[in-house]
Amino acid sequence: MYPIRLICECKCYSENYKVRLPHIRNFVGVMKDISENYIVYKSGERNVAKRHNDVGCFFSASSFTIDAQEYAWAHNIFIISFNNNSKLKYIIKDIKTFVNNTQLKNKTKKEIIRQFKESNFSFSEDKNISVAIGIIDGVYPVTLIGNQKWLYDIDNMTDNLSEIILAEKTQRKSNKFDTLFTLNVRGEKINFTLPNIIANKIKNRVDQTNSGEQIFTIDIPYIRNINDNSIRRFVKIIVKLPNYEKEEYKKHIQIVQEENLR
């Protein structure tokens, strides 16, 4: 068993420009080049010191086209979109303003990131966000975005290896390419976006779920220091359908979707 190495690519295109199939195809090529750059010679020596299990993840401020989603799914590439997420709109706006007003030619990525952090654009309007990486049903990663410290008591949890939090799925906002889900977690609104190749599976599950029943779970891994030992722990969020009639829930979702189309 080799350690996991996460290889990522990030894009921040305009809202109307989607991440397309060639972007994902190129990323798959990069992943293969990296994974194949491992040679064991007859002498037993290796050309690299360590070997890894490489996992690819593609982040985007805008949506992914359907063929890009299908290609990523076929090649085990995780894709995460932040499209339509209101909690990130100011950050995305600041990034685009920074790029349009800054000389970036001949600068390294580290220099650009440092300059952005030091600029007046960096998080200028909304600093009150907190982000956590979770895994739906142990299969697909999501980026959970809420108000600052929405997991405010994480350090005061018990010393068990996992902590269970109950949540309700209250809204969703869909377009042709992806779906924004909203959860009610202890009174806080938490958002995450899924490409529709995954979101449609969640929607189908909702149709088969009764009020108050579990739809899916989200595991949030983190490292906690307990008795001077670093221990990997999980916060498990159990997401249920709201405790009111399912027909009312469908009407509620329909109203939200109709408002989004106006």
Side-chain angles (χ1 to χ4, degrees), residues 68-175:
Q69 294 182 33
E70 293 172 344
Y71 191 85
W73 177 259
H75 289 271
N76 203 30
I77 301 296
F78 299 113
I79 53 178
I80 295 179
S81 168
F82 298 111
N83 184 49
N84 286 329
N85 197 313
S86 61
K87 293 186 180 298
L88 285 181
K89 65 180 181 180
Y90 294 121
I91 296 177
I92 294 174
K93 176 184 175 183
D94 285 349
I95 291 173
K96 293 176 179 178
T97 304
F98 170 77
V99 170
N100 292 332
N101 292 274
T102 307
Q103 177 57 253
L104 304 178
K105 189 176 181 180
N106 298 326
K107 291 186 177 180
T108 65
K109 292 181 180 179
K110 288 185 178 180
E111 289 174 334
I112 294 172
I113 293 173
R114 177 184 55 78
Q115 189 171 348
F116 174 74
K117 290 181 177 180
E118 294 174 352
S119 71
N120 293 327
F121 301 115
S122 180
F123 307 96
S124 59
E125 296 189 50
D126 190 355
K127 298 181 181 179
N128 189 32
I129 64 169
S130 185
V131 180
I133 302 296
I135 304 174
I136 291 183
D137 290 339
V139 176
Y140 206 87
V142 292
T143 303
L144 304 166
I145 303 174
N147 291 330
Q148 192 172 16
K149 297 182 179 180
W150 61 272
L151 286 174
Y152 58 91
D153 56 353
I154 195 169
D155 290 328
N156 295 321
M157 293 179 178
T158 65
D159 290 342
N160 297 327
L161 293 181
S162 65
E163 187 77 12
I164 295 177
I165 298 175
L166 299 181
E168 288 185 342
K169 188 181 84 64
T170 57
Q171 292 183 2
R172 69 172 182 247
K173 181 179 180 181
S174 299
N175 58 35

Side-chain angles (χ1 to χ4, degrees), residues 19 36 40 48 65 143 186 210 224:
V19 174
E36 291 172 359
V40 179
V48 292
T65 60
T143 303
R186 295 177 172 176
N210 295 319
R224 184 177 175 191

Side-chain angles (χ1 to χ4, degrees), residues 135 137 144 162-169 183-186 212-220 235-242:
I135 304 174
D137 290 339
L144 304 166
S162 65
E163 187 77 12
I164 295 177
I165 298 175
L166 299 181
E168 288 185 342
K169 188 181 84 64
L183 307 180
N184 181 351
V185 181
R186 295 177 172 176
E213 292 183 350
Q214 176 178 317
I215 309 171
F216 56 87
T217 63
I218 302 176
D219 290 322
I220 303 175
V235 174
K236 180 181 289 293
I237 300 178
I238 298 178
V239 182
K240 297 184 177 182
L241 204 61

